[in-house]
């Protein structure tokens, strides 16, 4: 299964998610951002590649739908409701990501 994590600038939240979930062998994981200055800016290719798309905030979902509505037609897009209050690899952010993502997909018990 291919997981795509989206935030604004792809520097803290989505990049942390990519880093921590990429160790799980049953998933391929990428991340991107919605803003012009993003480290990796989300493209139509990212959307087409992903099986499940996790966005950090509702505004990210609105931006994706505004630009890629047709491509998102049969995609599962989940809002994690994680505000931009955390730095890269912040321990609290990691715990929130693990908790919220595990509600949506199968995560090993010992993760």
């Amino acid at each position: 299964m291919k997981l795509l994590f989206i935030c604004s600038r792809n520097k803290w939240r989505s990049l942390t998610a990519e880093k921590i979930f990429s160790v799980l062998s049953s998933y391929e994981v990428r991340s991107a951002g919605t803003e012009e200055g993003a480290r990796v800016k989300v493209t139509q290719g990212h959307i087409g590649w992903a099986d499940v798309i996790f966005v950090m905030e509702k505004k990210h979902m609105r931006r994706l739908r505004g630009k890629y509505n047709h491509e998102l037609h049969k995609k599962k897009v989940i809002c994690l409701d994680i505000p931009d209050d955390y730095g890269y690899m912040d321990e609290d952010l990691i715990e929130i990501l693990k908790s919220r993502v595990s509600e949506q997909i199968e995560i090993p018990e010992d993760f």
Side-chain angles (χ1 to χ4, degrees):
M1 183 181 289
K2 297 171 184 169
L3 310 177
L4 177 62
F5 291 91
I6 303 285
C7 69
S8 297
R9 294 181 310 270
N10 188 228
K11 291 183 180 173
W12 297 335
R13 293 172 289 173
S14 61
L15 192 58
T16 297
E18 179 180 13
K19 173 87 172 164
I20 64 173
F21 292 108
S22 65
V23 301
L24 300 174
S25 59
S26 51
Y27 300 106
E28 289 181 56
V29 185
R30 294 182 185 168
S31 66
T34 59
E35 293 184 4
E36 283 303 318
R39 192 184 66 81
V40 173
K41 188 163 177 7
V42 66
T43 65
Q44 185 175 343
H46 288 107
I47 305 298
W49 171 86
D51 295 312
V52 181
I53 300 167
F54 292 98
V55 297
M56 298 298 156
E57 298 176 69
K58 288 183 177 80
K59 69 179 179 182
H60 302 125
M61 191 174 301
R62 284 192 304 271
R63 289 174 186 164
L64 289 182
R65 293 216 183 278
K67 192 164 185 180
Y68 304 108
N69 195 47
H70 181 72
E71 293 83 349
L72 290 168
H73 181 61
K74 294 189 178 182
K75 297 289 180 175
K76 186 173 185 178
V77 183
I78 298 160
C79 182
L80 298 174
D81 286 315
I82 301 175
D84 194 7
D85 296 339
Y86 305 94
Y88 177 67
M89 297 302 285
D90 181 292
E91 287 182 24
D92 291 336
L93 173 59
I94 291 169
E95 288 309 309
I96 293 167
L97 282 165
K98 287 180 178 181
S99 172
R100 300 216 176 134
V101 171
S102 69
E103 293 171 3
Q104 305 296 327
I105 62 171
E106 193 70 34
I107 301 290
E109 292 278 330
D110 59 351
F111 180 63

